[in-house]
Amino acid sequence: MGGLVVKKALILGQTDDHYRQSTKATSAMLFLSTPHRGTNLAELLNRILAVSIFRYSPKQYIAELKQNSPALQDINEQFRNIAPNLDLFSFYETQQTAVGPRKMMVLEKDSSILGYPTEISKPLDADHHNVCKYTSPQDPNYISVRNALKSLLRKTATAVHRETPPERPSNKVELKNVEALLAVSETSEDDYAFFRGRSMPGSCEWVFSRPGFLSWLHDTITSSRILWVSGLPGCGKSVLSSFIIGQLQDKGHKCQYYFFRFGDRTKRTVNAMLRSLAYQVAICLPELRDQLHKMSEDAVTLEKAEARIIWQKVFASRLSKLQSKQPLYWVIDGLDECEAPELLLSLFSSVSSFQIPLRIMCVGRKTQAIADSFQRLESFIQLDELPADDATEDLARYTKKELEYMRGDPGIKERLVQTVCEKAGGNFLWVHLVLKEILQCHTEAAIEQALDEMPADLAPLYQRMETALSKSARRGDRDLCNAILTWVICSQRALTLKELSEALKPEFTDILDLRLTVSQVCGDFVVIDGKGRAVMVHQTAREYLIKTPGLNHSITLRDGHQKLFVKCMAYLSTPNQRLRGQGPLAPSAQPFLHYAATSWSYHLGFSAVSLDQSILLALSHFFQNRYVLDWIQLLATWDRLKSLVYASQSLNSYLGKKSRIDAESSPLNHRLQDKDLLELWAVDLVKIVGKFGAQLVKHPKAIQSLIPTFCPTTTAIFQHFGQSKVSGYICLGGFARSKWDDCLSKFSVGRDTQSLRVMSLERLFAVLTSDGTLRLYDVITNQPVCKIMHEERVLCFKFSPSYERCVTYGFRTTKVWDVKGGRQICSIANPSNAKALDIAFENSESTIVSCSDDRGIRRYALGAAETVWKVIGDNLEFDNAEGRLNSPRRVAFNPEGTQVALAFRGFPLIVWDVANAHLVGRCERAPDKNNSRQDLYSEVGPVCWNPVTGHVLGLYKDGCIFKWHPWESDSQEVRAVAAGIQCSSYGSLFVTSSTNGIIQVWNFHHFALVYQLSYHLPIIDIALSPDGRRVYDLRESFCNIWEPNALIRVAEADERSSETTSVTGGSTQLSLASEASNETLEPLTALALGSRVWSYCSGDDAGVVRLVRAIDQASIQVTQGFMPVDHIAWSEDEKYFVTADLGGRLNVRTIDDSGPATKCPLYFETKTGSGLQQILIDSHSERLLVVTTAFTELWSLDSKSLITTKPNTSPYSRWTNHPCNAAYIIQSTFTDIRIYQWSHLDEIRRCPLRRHLQYDTKEQEVEHLGWRHPSASFPMSPDENSDAVEDIYMSQNDSHIILQTSRPLAQRHRTVQYLVIRIEDLGVPHEVINSDIEAREIQCEIGAEIEKILGFVCKSPPRRSYGLIGEAEPKVDEVLTFLDHDNWVCSWSVGRDMTAKPKIRRHFFLPQDWLNLDSLHLATISKDGTFYCPRNGEVAVVSNWLQNEWVDST
């Protein structure tokens, strides 16, 4: 097992300062029959030892040689991180070894080789005993090993490092964005200052006499190393850390530091430490700051990301590539107070490969778990250990200073110093506590007695302190002491004195000097740190009080948390006008308010649950009153909505525990109504974050009025605070909304094309369609951002790691795109006899690689002279006993493009090293003893990579999901029916889809089901958002976006859980997953409002037409056909309504109300052909206008006959009835207004528009069209290069018309402008006069806000406001209503000349799940101000809103 020892030594040496130089110089390793994966003979050997006559006991190190033991897996897991930097030779035995009377193979070949890309394996003709013994220099085995050593020596080279370019001044804007990305709220500067202030001049100097520290500090080799400083509790380790930090800063070194503090929940996670270090490094390294600044443009925040994700994205992928000879010094104090130190040290195992050297110092107590982690780490990086036990001089110095002003003879002081130091055992905390008691003595005898009685250890000393505290304090002081200790020990974070003072009320009020009170009633157990916070004197003191029962001041954690929970609830449930104040409430205004609002759920989670109903009553009281809305408003003001998710988790946990307790008591005491209320709120809190989070953060007061109205009727928030509870608020109806659903949005990606692939990025998601178009959408608004048109069918596509570039592979060409600018960078001709199955960017964004069905891997360097693919080495040639492999069925590159997973028919999945043309490993399926029908060579279906862990995820066709690591050959399976699989880019979750429409989301580490959704339509493709909150799927021609509660809880979960999960690993057992089913209606494709009896008429994608009566909302269904309905028109008297479908079939129907049931008989039907643009009925209900792209038809409704047909010379125009004369009709084009007679469509007037617009230049037109060029296969379509009139809006007082015009921009975008025309200019004279008409642009303040005009309405002055009371205004003629860019319904009160200074009023916003891309353009408003908006196949109707104005607090 010598090879294992060497591997472990190399791993540990990576982090040991003393050995790091040696490990860094290691470039190759040669293994002789090393049991990398163990042997089955290990257990047999231990049994022989146990029964031998010598009575040997079984050996632990032998047990660890068992095949695939945890110890071996741990070594392999760490060694694979440094293996890429080494040349490896592995020799394996081929002869059986004599074991007693039998012969057997000690090590099989599979255990003797690693399977790494750089490894070369060869056989030796020897057994296990003689594999390293040679008879002579002519021994063939000797020659093989000698030749291997010679070849390794020839490859040895010295690395050359470049100097980092000079730094430039810090950019404040970049640093601010980096701070937001890393969510850095506070640094460790206060902790540093606190401990630095405790050091004394001349103390800690001993560290400079230690070779290990000096080697760590002054090592000139540009390699990373770790120094582990360990010591007993209270020996001054944190003071030593602060001293070293100060020394490094004084010497001009780049130093970053972090102090773990277990008593502060925000300072004990690896996540918080990494974010803090990243921010500090970004301050001093402009190169990293630039990269993180770019990263902030695509990533929202890393606050809740797993520690492994932060390490991968910031340190491993960015910092590691920066080159510098000057090291970065990291000082990490309190390692033992970190929640997951093993995880942190495992992350450090990769720093040996960093090009920038790191000097990492870890300081903390030496626990067995930490010691084992450092031992494993030593195999990867040079590691030195420095015991912090040489503090005798510092103790003496500290003791002399404390005794300096003590009365007495100098000789007595000298003896005291000597005695105290001898008894201290290097413990500063012991000395500090002893000296405080000595200084209270008045005689030398008393001092001697105190020293004799003083315990030598901390635990007896704490007992003595607690006993003295109990005897000396009055009863009232003891109660106060217990209250303070409870807050200090159980609080989520350290409380300031101001917070603690509020927390102690009303039991303890009017405390004159809380700082003095704390020191007097709590003795030396509690101290006040440099930031004015009450903290335990030491972590060991906290452990003593909570683990020692029977003390007068012992603290029971569960009882303590319950007391703190009740206190927080009581504080939040007290009427407080500040909660509904006139502006944002800063946390500093009421210090304890912030703690209570963000921490009550934390204490609830740790509270004792019993038959006592106090907790349930407190929660019920809180959630039944407006206190809960005030609480949510506070969290939104502070941008702390994640606390809602934490509260939901705590409520669910509490209710589960409470149900188990109540099961043993009488049902009469169960308070089911209260528990039902809390169950509803547990769901509502998460849904509020998902559905309204973005708007709630911008407008916190919306929770008081708007949001409850938009919630489903069965939810707790609606039942208590919805529209029925408060008169005068907006009214909502028209659609079923009894419960929450998981569908966030649904939209069509194009009816004339088929959707193929969906991919989720950080700020965008992409959908590929069969016409070769890649559509990019914004993840927040779901609005289209741009289109990338490859101009032929695309077989595969991939984005670069920075998301700045994209590559698309078509049948004939491969194209690389600049994503932000939509610019084509280059085009490469594809080989004619091969089709790529996957493509990727390799290592950087300057090279792309592809793998094709001809088993060829090709590479192209961007900017190369020849725009052709070049084959990399041989085409997947390797030894295969089964014969030559066929074409791969499935291919997937890893994110770096360095490895590719390939699935063949009848052969195990393999991973191939791209750069070295080397087989990395095969996924040999382990036999399942419980499944006799298992097919070990079952065909592999879709595969993908976990970008964080390096595992391959895939599907076996026999119904199993598997994950497999190609370097470790460890694999796991779980049975599940699936047809597609994708992993999130954060690596914590993956999603599968089945052919029957079921979505399943899995926890990657545990291989456990988290969420399942059933939906009847088959799934084409599926994707997970990087943070795992959303699932995107393609079904038919639609893209669905799902955001279930279960995933929000996982995404918002405390990072602590992810860290401990990463350390402990997972199980293949399924968890209790959240299940949901969803049946969405067909999306609406047309909507027209009635004017009298009928409210509206709608048509959907399935060809169904519905009429809804205004008085009772009764619905009548009419079947149009199977094609989507895309046009509906009413006559003004509601005598006729006309519908047209996508196939060009036009139906004219009448409404018959004469019988008991309303009927809609078909009046007549006609076929218009394709390209229908508009249908319009005249004011007298006599004629019907049908406009297509080619012709304009005029029909008589009375005779059902065609009157005339004329060519459509202006297809991108809009028609409307003349507002002043019913005999005429108006056609508005981009350049003029034309007036026709309704009788025969005779033109009687044409009026050119006088418009002077900034984009009316040919030069800008060329710029607008950008990179899109027509071709024979994909010519420029008319809608790409035509100016158009999108819509016409008529004012209610017939004074103005607003034209919505547009012109083309790049990537099929259009620029919109709104023109105002006076109706009096459209008069019809007796003779034709073609005079110009002035078209004025709408006021810029209004135009800049408009996303979509809804229409004109009449309005009275506002009666009330949701926020602050609005000022009264005089009565106005009419109001223009519109949606702004934030999806608020807004109004603008205008006069007859529309020149008044604009004053935009906001009324309400549209919830996230109303923002459907396909149907939002149908949203409109009636003349009386009722708002209609399609939502999930129905129409939401909002009334009573126009007189209510939303005003944000200021």
Side-chain angles (χ1 to χ4, degrees):
M1 57 185 293
L4 299 178
V5 175
V6 174
K7 283 169 63 178
K8 187 70 174 180
L10 189 63
I11 293 172
L12 297 177
Q14 303 290 318
T15 56
D16 191 311
D17 287 339
H18 187 68
Y19 299 104
R20 185 172 177 187
Q21 186 172 353
S22 300
T23 57
K24 184 67 177 179
T26 303
S27 62
M29 295 186 71
L30 188 147
F31 297 100
L32 295 173
S33 199
T34 299
H36 298 293
R37 294 177 180 81
T39 174
N40 290 326
L41 296 181
E43 186 176 355
L44 175 62
L45 179 56
N46 259 338
R47 290 177 181 175
I48 294 174
L49 290 176
V51 300
S52 66
I53 60 175
F54 300 104
R55 295 183 180 180
Y56 291 124
S57 61
K59 304 298 183 183
Q60 177 63 30
Y61 67 86
I62 295 179
E64 291 178 349
L65 289 178
K66 187 177 180 181
Q67 195 166 27
N68 292 323
S69 69
L72 293 179
Q73 291 182 0
D74 184 56
I75 293 176
N76 292 334
E77 173 71 20
Q78 297 181 65
F79 187 72
R80 68 180 179 83
N81 293 321
I82 60 176
N85 301 321
L86 302 173
D87 290 313
L88 301 175
F89 260 98
S90 294
F91 290 92
Y92 57 91
E93 62 201 62
T94 57
Q95 294 184 9
Q96 294 183 337
T97 303
V99 180
R102 299 176 54 191
K103 283 191 175 184
M104 60 185 68
M105 290 295 297
V106 176
L107 283 182
E108 300 290 343
K109 176 183 176 181
D110 287 345
S111 181
S112 299
I113 62 175
L114 292 163
Y116 294 167
T118 57
E119 180 190 28
I120 298 175
S121 59
K122 288 188 175 183
L124 290 179
D125 186 19
D127 59 17
H128 194 70
H129 290 160
N130 298 310
V131 74
C132 57
K133 302 174 183 177
Y134 314 112
T135 58
S136 68
Q138 286 74 39
D139 189 332
N141 289 342
Y142 173 81
I143 295 175
S144 295
V145 175
R146 183 198 63 189
N147 291 342
L149 291 172
K150 282 186 176 180
S151 65
L152 291 175
L153 289 173
R154 295 191 192 103
K155 291 184 177 181
T156 304
T158 303
V160 179
H161 299 269
R162 299 195 304 271
E163 182 65 33
T164 302
E167 295 184 6
R168 57 175 176 79
S170 173
N171 185 297
K172 293 183 179 180
V173 176
E174 289 184 356
L175 203 56
K176 185 176 181 180
N177 292 336
V178 171
E179 182 179 352
L181 170 71
L182 299 172
V184 178
S185 57
E186 64 175 307
T187 64
S188 292
E189 292 180 0
D190 294 323
D191 296 316
Y192 165 69
F194 174 75
F195 290 112
R196 194 75 179 100
R198 289 193 164 194
S199 65
M200 298 175 54
S203 63
C204 302
E205 297 285 352
W206 59 268
V207 74
F208 288 106
S209 63
R210 293 299 184 90
F213 175 78
L214 294 176
S215 178
W216 174 83
L217 179 64
H218 300 301
D219 189 359
T220 57
I221 298 179
T222 56
S223 60
S224 299
R225 59 189 302 167
I226 294 180
L227 179 64
W228 177 24
V229 180
S230 60
L232 297 173
C235 68
K237 298 183 297 296
S238 296
V239 174
L240 176 64
S241 297
S242 66
F243 169 78
I244 293 173
I245 293 170
Q247 291 294 313
L248 292 171
Q249 292 176 340
D250 292 343
K251 296 180 182 299
H253 294 299
K254 297 174 181 177
C255 175
Q256 295 82 43
Y257 53 87
Y258 192 81
F259 288 80
F260 281 109
R261 289 293 167 264
F262 188 83
D264 191 337
R265 191 164 175 246
T266 63
K267 292 184 177 181
R268 62 192 191 202
T269 65
V270 180
N271 170 294
M273 188 218 74
L274 294 178
R275 289 186 286 111
S276 177
L277 286 184
Y279 180 70
Q280 295 178 62
V281 175
I283 293 176
C284 67
L285 289 183
E287 298 90 342
L288 181 64
R289 184 169 64 245
D290 292 342
Q291 295 188 35
L292 294 184
H293 170 64
K294 294 179 180 178
M295 182 178 172
S296 67
E297 298 176 356
D298 295 316
V300 179
T301 177
L302 295 176
E303 181 180 10
K304 295 178 288 295
E306 287 189 14
R308 292 184 184 276
I309 296 295
I310 300 176
W311 180 262
Q312 177 68 28
K313 286 183 171 290
V314 177
F315 297 93
S317 63
R318 287 176 169 83
L319 180 63
S320 65
K321 294 180 173 59
L322 301 182
Q323 296 182 350
S324 173
K325 291 182 179 179
Q326 297 180 358
L328 296 178
Y329 290 88
W330 292 355
V331 179
I332 301 171
D333 182 73
L335 183 63
D336 54 298
E337 299 186 43
C338 171
E339 284 186 339
E342 298 89 349
L343 170 62
L344 175 60
L345 295 179
S346 69
L347 296 178
F348 286 162
S349 64
S350 64
V351 301
S352 60
S353 61
F354 284 22
Q355 297 187 39
I356 183 171
L358 298 181
R359 302 285 189 268
I360 303 175
M361 175 182 290
C362 298
V363 184
R365 284 187 287 174
K366 188 173 184 178
T367 66
Q368 186 59 48
I370 292 178
D372 292 342
S373 297
F374 272 114
Q375 187 177 6
R376 291 190 293 268
L377 186 61
E378 196 172 5
S379 301
F380 296 92
I381 189 171
Q382 183 172 344
L383 174 68
D384 292 310
E385 183 178 358
L386 176 64
D389 55 2
D390 194 3
T392 305
E393 294 183 3
D394 292 345
L395 280 172
R397 189 178 289 109
Y398 172 75
T399 307
K400 288 179 182 179
K401 181 181 178 182
E402 292 297 311
L403 297 176
E404 182 178 358
Y405 299 103
M406 186 188 79
R407 297 180 180 275
D409 183 81
I412 297 177
K413 294 182 181 181
E414 287 295 330
R415 289 196 301 274
L416 277 177
V417 170
Q418 183 177 357
T419 304
V420 168
C421 291
E422 289 176 353
K423 289 188 174 185
N427 195 313
F428 277 88
L429 177 60
W430 187 90
V431 172
H432 168 75
L433 297 174
V434 167
L435 290 180
K436 290 194 69 174
E437 186 160 341
I438 288 177
L439 291 175
Q440 296 177 3
C441 298
H442 301 285
T443 65
E444 185 174 349
I447 294 175
E448 295 293 340
Q449 182 179 358
L451 283 175
D452 292 338
E453 295 176 354
M454 194 65 62
D457 296 328
L458 285 177
L461 180 59
Y462 290 146
Q463 182 181 7
R464 177 186 174 92
M465 290 165 50
E466 196 274 339
T467 302
L469 198 62
S470 302
K471 291 180 179 179
S472 61
R474 298 188 299 270
R475 179 175 180 81
D477 289 347
R478 286 199 298 269
D479 294 339
L480 177 58
C481 175
N482 284 335
I484 294 175
L485 287 174
T486 300
W487 277 107
V488 174
I489 289 176
C490 298
S491 61
Q492 185 177 16
R493 57 170 177 79
L495 298 181
T496 65
L497 290 176
K498 290 183 178 180
E499 292 174 323
L500 184 58
S501 177
E502 289 292 321
L504 294 173
K505 296 177 181 178
E507 292 81 5
F508 306 97
T509 59
D510 302 326
I511 298 177
L512 301 178
D513 187 345
L514 185 57
R515 182 186 293 267
L516 178 63
T517 300
V518 169
S519 64
Q520 289 181 346
V521 302
C522 298
D524 294 317
F525 280 107
V526 180
V527 297
I528 308 302
D529 67 9
K531 209 172 181 179
R533 299 174 300 186
V535 297
M536 295 299 294
V537 66
H538 198 268
Q539 176 66 15
T540 54
R542 178 183 184 274
E543 294 173 356
Y544 174 79
L545 292 179
I546 64 178
K547 293 181 179 180
T548 309
L551 302 176
N552 289 321
H553 298 292
S554 62
I555 304 298
T556 303
L557 287 181
R558 290 192 176 276
D559 293 340
H561 280 293
Q562 181 173 345
K563 293 177 182 178
L564 269 55
F565 161 75
V566 172
K567 176 67 70 172
C568 291
M569 280 283 98
Y571 194 85
L572 294 174
S573 301
T574 302
N576 191 328
Q577 296 302 318
R578 290 298 301 275
L579 301 185
R580 304 175 195 171
Q582 301 299 307
L585 183 61
S588 58
Q590 291 190 15
F592 185 66
L593 181 62
H594 184 271
Y595 181 87
T598 57
S599 302
W600 68 261
S601 61
Y602 169 78
H603 296 300
L604 175 62
F606 291 102
S607 295
V609 181
S610 63
L611 294 176
D612 178 35
Q613 306 290 356
S614 60
I615 293 180
L616 184 60
L617 291 174
L619 288 169
S620 178
H621 177 67
F622 178 74
F623 281 102
Q624 287 186 54
N625 293 277
R626 299 194 73 87
Y627 306 130
V628 62
L629 300 186
D630 299 336
W631 168 62
I632 297 174
Q633 179 183 332
L634 284 172
L635 296 177
T637 303
W638 300 328
D639 195 11
R640 293 275 302 184
L641 290 184
K642 63 181 180 180
S643 294
L644 297 182
V645 182
Y646 299 160
S648 173
Q649 294 170 332
S650 296
L651 286 176
N652 282 323
S653 176
Y654 167 76
L655 290 172
K657 297 174 184 176
K658 184 64 175 172
S659 296
R660 291 190 291 271
I661 294 294
D662 287 348
E664 303 175 1
S665 65
S666 171
L668 298 177
N669 300 324
H670 288 183
R671 302 191 68 89
L672 297 179
Q673 186 174 357
D674 291 334
K675 291 197 286 187
D676 290 343
L677 172 68
L678 298 183
E679 287 180 357
L680 290 176
W681 270 110
V683 176
D684 290 355
L685 293 177
V686 181
K687 284 300 183 183
I688 288 171
V689 176
K691 302 282 188 180
F692 307 102
Q695 292 286 5
L696 187 54
V697 170
K698 295 179 182 178
H699 313 283
K701 290 179 72 68
I703 192 63
Q704 299 287 350
S705 54
L706 290 180
I707 290 177
T709 302
F710 287 102
C711 294
T713 55
T714 60
T715 60
I717 186 173
F718 180 87
Q719 292 175 0
H720 287 82
F721 312 110
Q723 62 186 25
S724 61
K725 303 301 178 183
V726 182
S727 62
Y729 280 7
I730 62 177
C731 297
L732 185 63
F735 66 99
R737 55 190 187 104
S738 60
K739 61 181 181 179
W740 298 109
D741 60 61
D742 290 342
C743 184
L744 188 64
S745 182
K746 176 181 180 180
F747 61 91
S748 173
V749 294
R751 297 188 182 93
D752 56 347
T753 186
Q754 180 183 359
S755 56
L756 300 177
R757 288 286 312 281
V758 61
M759 183 179 295
S760 177
L761 314 178
E762 293 282 359
R763 291 186 180 270
L764 302 172
F765 65 94
V767 176
L768 176 68
T769 54
S770 57
D771 61 355
T773 302
L774 187 64
R775 294 169 167 85
L776 302 181
Y777 301 87
D778 186 274
V779 297
I780 298 177
T781 65
N782 299 331
Q783 298 293 324
V785 175
C786 68
K787 293 181 181 179
I788 293 176
M789 301 183 66
H790 190 94
E791 301 183 351
E792 62 174 327
R793 188 179 181 96
V794 173
L795 302 178
C796 52
F797 71 97
K798 197 67 67 71
F799 288 87
S800 65
S802 67
Y803 307 127
E804 294 181 358
R805 290 182 175 182
C806 175
V807 57
T808 55
Y809 191 104
F811 279 106
R812 299 185 300 273
T813 59
T814 299
K815 296 181 180 180
V816 181
W817 309 86
D818 173 29
V819 174
K820 293 183 179 179
R823 180 178 58 88
Q824 179 180 310
I825 298 175
C826 66
S827 179
I828 310 113
N830 291 338
S832 58
N833 58 346
K835 296 178 182 178
L837 300 177
D838 196 20
I839 195 167
F841 286 87
E842 185 181 19
N843 281 325
S844 64
E845 299 183 3
S846 59
T847 306
I848 54 177
V849 290
S850 68
C851 183
S852 304
D853 56 2
D854 64 347
R855 302 170 66 241
I857 298 180
R858 295 172 174 84
R859 178 186 287 128
Y860 174 76
L862 302 184
E866 294 184 81
T867 55
V868 294
W869 288 98
K870 294 185 177 180
V871 177
I872 305 175
D874 297 330
N875 287 354
L876 298 175
E877 296 292 345
F878 56 92
D879 294 335
N880 177 24
E882 290 80 3
R884 182 178 175 84
L885 294 177
N886 49 27
S887 296
R889 307 279 298 190
R890 303 284 182 171
V891 172
F893 281 99
N894 68 348
E896 296 79 20
T898 56
Q899 295 179 356
V900 59
L902 303 107
F904 300 88
R905 180 179 296 173
F907 192 77
L909 179 75
I910 69 168
V911 168
W912 185 264
D913 185 275
V914 175
N916 301 310
H918 183 272
L919 179 66
V920 177
R922 303 180 185 181
C923 182
E924 301 285 355
R925 196 173 185 185
D928 186 356
K929 298 179 181 179
N930 299 322
N931 184 8
S932 60
R933 298 182 179 180
Q934 181 190 29
D935 182 5
L936 296 181
Y937 290 94
S938 176
E939 183 176 347
V940 176
V943 293
C944 64
W945 290 78
N946 186 313
V948 178
T949 66
H951 285 80
V952 177
L953 282 162
L955 305 173
Y956 285 121
K957 290 298 184 67
D958 61 357
C960 283
I961 304 172
F962 70 89
K963 65 176 179 180
W964 166 64
H965 203 290
W967 280 10
E968 295 301 327
S969 295
D970 60 321
S971 62
Q972 285 181 282
E973 291 184 16
V974 62
R975 295 202 62 81
V977 178
I981 186 168
Q982 289 294 334
C983 187
S984 71
S985 60
Y986 284 9
S988 57
L989 299 173
F990 67 92
V991 61
T992 61
S993 61
S994 65
T995 54
N996 58 357
I998 296 178
I999 294 173
Q1000 292 183 323
V1001 180
W1002 303 75
N1003 179 291
F1004 173 81
H1005 300 293
H1006 292 276
F1007 234 41
L1009 189 61
V1010 175
Y1011 171 75
Q1012 176 172 303
L1013 172 74
S1014 300
Y1015 186 29
H1016 67 281
L1017 294 177
I1019 301 172
I1020 299 172
D1021 195 31
I1022 197 165
L1024 261 177
S1025 64
D1027 59 4
R1029 292 171 63 114
R1030 294 181 180 178
V1031 179
Y1032 301 83
D1033 73 40
L1034 300 178
R1035 304 173 192 250
E1036 295 183 335
S1037 61
F1038 294 95
C1039 177
N1040 300 282
I1041 305 175
W1042 311 94
E1043 191 173 66
N1045 275 23
L1047 299 189
I1048 295 177
R1049 288 193 183 101
V1050 172
E1052 295 286 352
D1054 195 349
E1055 62 270 11
R1056 171 185 54 180
S1057 60
S1058 64
E1059 292 174 4
T1060 55
T1061 296
S1062 300
V1063 173
T1064 59
S1067 166
T1068 59
Q1069 299 298 318
L1070 291 181
S1071 66
L1072 296 177
S1074 172
E1075 296 190 15
S1077 61
N1078 195 286
E1079 295 297 330
T1080 59
L1081 301 176
E1082 294 292 341
L1084 296 186
T1085 53
L1087 177 67
L1089 301 184
S1091 57
R1092 299 182 182 181
V1093 177
W1094 299 95
S1095 178
Y1096 62 85
C1097 177
S1098 66
D1100 64 22
D1101 196 67
V1104 176
V1105 177
R1106 289 182 177 86
L1107 284 77
V1108 178
R1109 200 190 310 270
I1111 189 171
D1112 57 3
Q1113 296 296 301
S1115 175
I1116 300 174
Q1117 179 173 315
V1118 180
T1119 301
Q1120 169 81 8
F1122 299 101
M1123 300 291 288
V1125 178
D1126 57 357
H1127 289 85
I1128 299 177
W1130 286 91
S1131 61
E1132 289 189 10
D1133 59 1
E1134 295 184 342
K1135 180 179 179 181
Y1136 303 103
F1137 70 93
V1138 185
T1139 61
D1141 62 23
L1142 194 62
R1145 186 173 64 175
L1146 187 143
N1147 289 346
V1148 181
R1149 295 181 182 270
T1150 59
I1151 301 176
D1152 182 7
D1153 276 329
S1154 58
T1158 302
K1159 299 179 181 180
C1160 301
L1162 181 65
Y1163 185 61
F1164 76 88
E1165 181 180 30
T1166 185
K1167 186 76 172 179
T1168 65
S1170 61
L1172 181 63
Q1173 291 188 324
Q1174 188 179 0
I1175 51 178
L1176 182 66
I1177 303 176
D1178 73 334
S1179 301
H1180 296 305
S1181 302
E1182 297 174 350
R1183 286 172 173 78
L1184 170 66
L1185 183 76
V1186 180
V1187 183
T1188 68
T1189 55
F1191 299 97
T1192 302
E1193 300 176 348
L1194 183 64
W1195 289 78
S1196 170
L1197 292 177
D1198 294 334
S1199 63
K1200 308 178 187 179
S1201 61
L1202 180 65
I1203 299 175
T1204 184
T1205 300
K1206 295 187 177 183
N1208 190 356
T1209 58
S1210 301
Y1212 296 96
S1213 61
R1214 296 294 292 178
W1215 299 72
T1216 187
N1217 284 312
H1218 197 289
C1220 301
N1221 195 326
Y1224 300 103
I1225 184 173
I1226 298 173
Q1227 181 187 21
S1228 301
T1229 73
F1230 191 82
T1231 57
D1232 55 36
I1233 300 292
R1234 305 169 190 178
I1235 302 177
Y1236 298 83
Q1237 289 182 332
W1238 257 114
S1239 58
H1240 291 85
L1241 283 186
D1242 294 328
E1243 182 179 331
I1244 63 172
R1245 184 181 181 191
R1246 179 174 298 197
C1247 308
L1249 296 178
R1250 295 198 309 270
R1251 48 192 295 164
H1252 306 282
L1253 305 178
Q1254 59 182 354
Y1255 49 66
D1256 275 355
T1257 62
K1258 292 184 178 180
E1259 291 79 4
Q1260 288 173 326
E1261 287 183 31
V1262 173
E1263 181 182 353
H1264 290 160
L1265 293 179
W1267 51 268
R1268 170 78 168 103
H1269 300 291
S1271 65
S1273 302
F1274 286 80
M1276 189 77 74
S1277 61
D1279 62 342
E1280 286 187 80
N1281 59 7
S1282 298
D1283 302 330
V1285 175
E1286 304 283 351
D1287 217 332
I1288 301 176
Y1289 304 94
M1290 191 78 64
S1291 64
Q1292 295 293 318
N1293 58 10
D1294 296 335
S1295 61
H1296 295 86
I1297 287 178
I1298 293 182
L1299 298 183
Q1300 178 179 326
T1301 66
S1302 67
R1303 302 197 75 179
L1305 293 176
Q1307 301 181 356
R1308 289 192 174 182
H1309 287 184
R1310 302 186 72 87
T1311 178
V1312 177
Q1313 197 154 21
Y1314 302 95
L1315 302 178
V1316 180
I1317 299 175
R1318 294 181 302 178
I1319 292 181
E1320 62 185 35
D1321 293 338
L1322 301 179
V1324 183
H1326 295 290
E1327 55 186 55
V1328 177
I1329 301 176
N1330 292 337
S1331 58
D1332 293 349
I1333 292 180
E1334 182 181 7
R1336 293 176 295 146
E1337 186 177 356
I1338 201 170
Q1339 297 186 39
C1340 60
E1341 295 91 338
I1342 299 295
E1345 296 293 327
I1346 294 177
E1347 177 69 25
K1348 171 187 166 45
I1349 290 181
L1350 299 173
F1352 284 92
V1353 297
C1354 292
K1355 171 197 169 190
S1356 299
R1359 298 199 308 259
R1360 65 186 61 80
S1361 64
Y1362 298 121
L1364 295 177
I1365 302 300
E1367 60 180 274
E1369 63 172 335
K1371 189 171 183 178
V1372 296
D1373 292 332
E1374 57 189 344
V1375 173
L1376 176 67
T1377 61
F1378 59 90
L1379 286 176
D1380 69 4
H1381 300 301
D1382 290 329
N1383 297 303
W1384 277 78
V1385 175
C1386 304
S1387 65
W1388 170 37
S1389 301
V1390 297
R1392 286 187 172 274
D1393 58 358
M1394 301 186 74
T1395 58
K1397 184 177 180 180
K1399 183 176 182 180
I1400 299 175
R1401 302 182 185 278
R1402 282 182 162 185
H1403 300 277
F1404 64 92
F1405 61 80
L1406 301 187
Q1408 180 76 22
D1409 54 351
W1410 289 26
L1411 305 180
N1412 191 304
L1413 302 185
D1414 290 329
S1415 55
L1416 186 59
H1417 70 282
L1418 300 176
T1420 186
I1421 198 167
S1422 64
K1423 294 180 180 180
D1424 65 357
T1426 303
F1427 174 72
Y1428 298 83
C1429 181
R1431 179 198 178 274
N1432 191 24
E1434 299 175 297
V1435 178
V1437 181
V1438 184
S1439 57
N1440 197 36
W1441 59 270
L1442 193 56
Q1443 68 270 31
N1444 296 288
E1445 179 188 358
W1446 172 266
V1447 182
D1448 276 317
S1449 300
T1450 56

